[in-house]
Amino acid sequence: MTFRTIDWTENKIRLIDQTALPGHSLYLNIETVEDLAEAICSLRVRGAPAIGIAAALGVALAANNHTDEPAEAFISSIRDAMDVLGRTRPTAVNLFWALNRMEQVLNQAAHLSPGEIRERLLQEALDILNEDRLICHQLGVHGAELIPDAANILTHCNAGALATSEYGTALAVIYEAVSQGKEIKVYADETRPLLQGARLTSWELNANGISVTVLCDSAAAFLMQRGEVDCVIVGADRIAANGDVANKVGTYMLSVLAEKHEIPFYVVAPVSSFDLSISSGSEIPIEQRDRSEVAAFMGRITVPEAVPVYNPAFDVTPNHLVTAIVTEKGVLTPPFELSIRKVLLEGGILSDA
Amino acid sequence: MTFRTIDWTENKIRLIDQTALPGHSLYLNIETVEDLAEAICSLRVRGAPAIGIAAALGVALAANNHTDEPAEAFISSIRDAMDVLGRTRPTAVNLFWALNRMEQVLNQAAHLSPGEIRERLLQEALDILNEDRLICHQLGVHGAELIPDAANILTHCNAGALATSEYGTALAVIYEAVSQGKEIKVYADETRPLLQGARLTSWELNANGISVTVLCDSAAAFLMQRGEVDCVIVGADRIAANGDVANKVGTYMLSVLAEKHEIPFYVVAPVSSFDLSISSGSEIPIEQRDRSEVAAFMGRITVPEAVPVYNPAFDVTPNHLVTAIVTEKGVLTPPFELSIRKVLLEGGILSDA
């Protein structure tokens, strides 16, 4: 990888500002939880796993910034930070999963000194970061088995190294397939409104020497009709117990189009994306984002001011349109209700009732 | 209508510059064929019927600008103008249809004086303009029969008054349904890359008091999944003998999504959009437009320079995904091979072999 998405350096969080890509590779040094919350809300750091890592590092940052306070105020400051970070993005389950891990460490260490608590929290955050790196690599290894040589792969949004610690989720499969010597051509949907595919996916694949072509989201159907797509690979922000997938708006569109054109549709996501508290996709909250994302660009108005905008950040792909879900533990196939439960039981993440 | 798309005034072509909408209502006075060709190529005037009208007026403009030349040079100048205009946009059949009508008038009048030829060509161009107005009104009347009260209608690109002389094709149906007292809510796909839906459709509907909401093209599937769309209405750039429809890229996407969600999919187009020389959609040439339409916006780079872009202007919707084709002669239903032939025979446009 030719860049670092997010890291902990000199008691600060260092991250690449993804709103400046592909024009500028700008690194930010984040020193406060408020600045981190702003960076998450305005998508300077984005992608479910990267948001989880950022939130964990944010808790470590809060502990670091408040170590001199009396124990009670110190712990209260950390809990405040968790609240602030928990309110940044409602859909990505990794955010809550990471904050939950940090809270458990805090609870177990509550009797220790602020300095000791700070060390434990930082270690936990760095563990989350390093575990993510291993997980992404494993996603790539398992997913690459599904990819034939000389495959044309369509992807949406950015489920790449920029969305994680390294490698990515969907793109980890591509990086791994290429490293195995397979000849891969990638088509990247531009992904309106924020153009993560055009700006980020194409930037990171091209930076790593992989052939990539950008197209408008609405051209994907035509590309499939022409026989130019061998499989679709996307990430996931949250997966329900039955395998319904919440991901960037447009993912559901691709799943319907893939079914129509008899193209395999693969979802690549770490086990932490499964949310068994949610039985099906209809229960997943869908974030509606600001009209300005669609209605203006670089200060130019693209929708008349009097006209409302429907701007869901995510959509839900029903399980019957998903060919397989690639996890770090292996490839899951339908019926997903069973295969998801099985992988969580085997991983000790779920205990048998 | 609160504006004029294209008109002939004081020996010039006057048109609203659609690249400046919705921010500015800017009218251009076109005095040369070269300027008109530039306006067509750069989409200052766009939409198949409006392009046909523009081309016809462009021939009249050439005749007007060269009346003082000797007869042979005069006619040669007009033919040069036809060549220039014929090279502007390869997919819209109305362009060639209009130029063909002008050429027939020119051939029949070739023995007359330049002044007389000029008058005949101008009259023919104005006839094309006025016929289009009547046709659009009739499209609305026939199409409105398909629209129930309190319908939510999804449309793509701009098949509106801005794409024709007045009323539009797809939007004529909406204008007519509203004028009949039906309560209509319109969803307009923004239509990447040039945002005709966001900039033009929402502008003209809102300017005429009709409820319209803009969404990203990739969100249409989710909107349908939520049950918010009662029918899809689009225009057409060209329709093959079997009813396959070439229209703005993204139209095919909507047709697949409409089928999946059991939503009627209506195409609204004048009879002049039928091209019986083409038996099926696979023979329709698809214009590939410049990468800069996708790769940059307002000077900001959105795709890295090293990355190629796939940018088809149109796609082809197969006839089996079309519920009905609304023409000025009535509503056509499958099998379209028969119903298209029948309407052309009845209109005297096609003679029985």
Side-chain angles (χ1 to χ4, degrees):
Chain A
M1 292 289 136
T2 53
F3 59 90
R4 303 293 301 166
T5 305
I6 184 163
D7 242 329
W8 177 262
T9 333
E10 296 172 8
N11 291 328
K12 291 170 202 148
I13 299 169
R14 186 165 182 269
L15 53 85
I16 189 165
D17 183 352
Q18 301 191 32
T19 63
L21 292 173
H24 305 281
S25 304
L26 179 70
Y27 285 86
L28 303 177
N29 290 309
I30 304 273
E31 301 186 31
T32 69
V33 168
E34 288 66 33
D35 284 353
L36 180 64
E38 189 279 335
I40 296 172
C41 286
S42 59
L43 312 183
R44 298 185 200 286
V45 56
R46 29 66 55 203
I51 289 172
I53 294 164
L57 290 174
V59 174
L61 185 68
N64 191 68
N65 290 352
H66 294 277
T67 318
D68 296 339
E69 291 177 3
E72 203 170 316
F74 169 74
I75 287 176
S76 164
S77 295
I78 296 172
R79 292 200 188 279
D80 287 350
M82 288 174 172
D83 284 348
V84 167
L85 294 167
R87 281 194 299 270
T88 49
R89 300 285 307 274
T91 306
V93 72
N94 303 55
L95 173 67
F96 305 108
W97 169 85
L99 287 175
N100 201 32
R101 270 183 66 165
M102 297 303 283
E103 192 175 14
Q104 282 178 24
V105 170
L106 178 64
N107 291 343
Q108 285 161 10
H111 60 286
L112 301 177
S113 72
E116 286 167 313
I117 293 173
R118 179 190 61 186
E119 289 314 304
R120 298 231 176 154
L121 288 174
L122 178 58
Q123 192 51 55
E124 186 71 9
L126 294 176
D127 283 354
I128 289 173
L129 174 70
N130 288 319
E131 287 165 22
D132 185 68
R133 229 167 251 162
L134 287 172
I135 287 167
C136 289
H137 182 65
Q138 281 307 108
L139 289 171
V141 169
H142 290 300
E145 290 170 25
L146 301 169
I147 308 303
D149 192 20
N152 287 3
I153 300 176
L154 177 66
T155 188
H156 192 68
C157 197
N158 175 261
L162 286 168
T164 62
S165 53
E166 208 170 348
Y167 311 117
T169 55
L171 297 195
V173 175
I174 291 167
Y175 288 124
E176 179 63 26
V178 168
S179 83
Q180 290 173 4
K182 290 176 185 166
E183 211 164 293
I184 303 294
K185 178 169 182 179
V186 181
Y187 285 103
D189 279 353
E190 65 171 1
T191 317
R192 283 285 290 157
L194 296 177
L195 304 173
Q196 291 94 335
R199 295 191 300 107
L200 307 179
T201 293
S202 82
W203 180 82
E204 70 163 90
L205 289 175
N206 181 65
N208 287 287
I210 294 173
S211 163
V212 57
T213 298
V214 169
L215 66 157
C216 291
D217 305 318
S218 61
F222 189 53
L223 194 70
M224 290 184 188
Q225 189 192 44
R226 297 245 153 160
E228 293 289 325
V229 180
D230 297 310
C231 66
V232 177
I233 306 186
V234 297
D237 282 80
R238 195 185 290 212
I239 302 175
N242 70 344
D244 290 353
V245 175
N247 192 45
K248 179 58 55 193
V249 67
T251 303
Y252 170 58
M253 165 194 79
L254 289 181
S255 73
V256 172
L257 297 173
E259 180 191 44
K260 174 79 179 175
H261 298 91
E262 298 178 358
I263 296 166
F265 183 88
Y266 301 126
V267 174
V268 185
V271 163
S272 62
S273 310
F274 293 115
D275 184 355
L276 295 200
S277 74
I278 281 178
S279 63
S280 82
S282 60
E283 297 166 38
I284 299 177
I286 299 296
E287 178 184 4
Q288 286 283 338
R289 291 183 59 88
D290 198 79
R291 86 184 285 283
S292 64
E293 289 184 351
V294 179
F297 193 97
M298 296 293 291
R300 169 89 172 255
I301 288 172
T302 55
V303 177
E305 280 177 25
V307 172
V309 170
Y310 176 70
N311 185 23
F314 302 93
D315 62 24
V316 176
T317 298
N319 56 11
H320 72 272
L321 296 179
V322 178
T323 309
I325 301 174
V326 177
T327 75
E328 70 273 30
K329 310 283 188 189
V331 176
L332 312 189
T333 51
F336 291 114
E337 228 144 24
L338 297 180
S339 54
I340 289 172
R341 209 179 151 72
K342 185 157 172 278
V343 79
L344 293 181
L345 280 170
E346 285 171 3
I349 297 155
L350 192 69
S351 60
D352 220 336
Chain B
M1 292 289 137
T2 52
F3 60 89
R4 304 293 301 168
T5 304
I6 185 164
D7 242 329
W8 177 263
T9 331
E10 297 172 7
N11 290 327
K12 291 170 199 145
I13 298 169
R14 184 165 182 269
L15 52 84
I16 189 165
D17 183 352
Q18 300 192 32
T19 62
L21 291 174
H24 305 280
S25 305
L26 179 70
Y27 286 87
L28 303 176
N29 290 309
I30 304 274
E31 301 186 31
T32 69
V33 168
E34 288 67 33
D35 284 354
L36 180 63
E38 188 279 333
I40 295 172
C41 286
S42 59
L43 311 184
R44 298 184 200 287
V45 57
R46 27 69 51 203
I51 289 171
I53 294 165
L57 289 174
V59 174
L61 185 69
N64 190 68
N65 290 351
H66 295 276
T67 319
D68 296 339
E69 292 177 2
E72 204 170 315
F74 169 75
I75 285 175
S76 163
S77 295
I78 295 172
R79 293 201 188 279
D80 287 349
M82 287 174 173
D83 285 349
V84 168
L85 293 167
R87 281 195 298 270
T88 49
R89 299 286 305 275
T91 306
V93 72
N94 303 56
L95 173 67
F96 306 108
W97 169 85
L99 288 175
N100 202 34
R101 271 183 66 164
M102 298 302 284
E103 192 174 16
Q104 282 178 24
V105 170
L106 178 64
N107 291 343
Q108 284 161 11
H111 60 287
L112 301 176
S113 73
E116 285 168 313
I117 292 174
R118 179 191 60 186
E119 288 314 305
R120 297 228 179 159
L121 288 173
L122 178 58
Q123 192 52 55
E124 187 70 9
L126 294 176
D127 283 353
I128 288 174
L129 175 70
N130 288 316
E131 287 164 22
D132 185 68
R133 228 167 252 161
L134 288 171
I135 286 168
C136 290
H137 182 65
Q138 281 307 110
L139 289 171
V141 170
H142 290 299
E145 290 169 24
L146 301 169
I147 309 303
D149 192 21
N152 287 2
I153 301 175
L154 177 66
T155 188
H156 192 69
C157 197
N158 176 261
L162 286 167
T164 61
S165 54
E166 208 171 347
Y167 311 117
T169 54
L171 297 194
V173 175
I174 290 167
Y175 288 123
E176 179 62 25
V178 168
S179 83
Q180 291 174 4
K182 290 174 184 166
E183 212 162 293
I184 303 294
K185 179 168 182 179
V186 181
Y187 285 103
D189 280 354
E190 64 170 1
T191 318
R192 283 286 289 159
L194 297 177
L195 304 174
Q196 292 93 334
R199 294 190 302 105
L200 307 179
T201 293
S202 82
W203 180 81
E204 69 164 270
L205 290 175
N206 180 64
N208 287 287
I210 294 173
S211 163
V212 57
T213 298
V214 169
L215 65 158
C216 291
D217 305 319
S218 61
F222 188 54
L223 193 70
M224 291 184 187
Q225 190 191 45
R226 296 244 152 161
E228 294 288 325
V229 180
D230 297 310
C231 66
V232 177
I233 307 187
V234 296
D237 283 80
R238 196 185 289 211
I239 303 176
N242 70 344
D244 289 353
V245 175
N247 192 45
K248 179 58 55 194
V249 68
T251 302
Y252 170 59
M253 165 193 79
L254 289 181
S255 73
V256 173
L257 297 174
E259 179 192 44
K260 173 79 178 174
H261 298 91
E262 299 178 358
I263 295 166
F265 184 87
Y266 300 126
V267 173
V268 185
V271 163
S272 61
S273 311
F274 293 115
D275 184 353
L276 295 200
S277 75
I278 281 178
S279 63
S280 82
S282 60
E283 297 167 35
I284 299 177
I286 299 297
E287 178 185 3
Q288 287 280 340
R289 291 184 58 87
D290 198 81
R291 84 184 285 283
S292 64
E293 290 184 350
V294 179
F297 193 96
M298 298 291 292
R300 169 88 172 256
I301 288 172
T302 55
V303 177
E305 279 177 26
V307 173
V309 170
Y310 176 69
N311 186 23
F314 302 94
D315 61 25
V316 176
T317 298
N319 56 10
H320 72 271
L321 296 179
V322 178
T323 310
I325 300 174
V326 178
T327 75
E328 70 273 30
K329 311 283 188 190
V331 176
L332 312 189
T333 51
F336 291 114
E337 228 145 24
L338 298 180
S339 54
I340 289 171
R341 210 180 149 72
K342 186 159 172 278
V343 79
L344 293 180
L345 280 169
E346 285 171 0
I349 298 156
L350 193 70
S351 60
D352 220 338

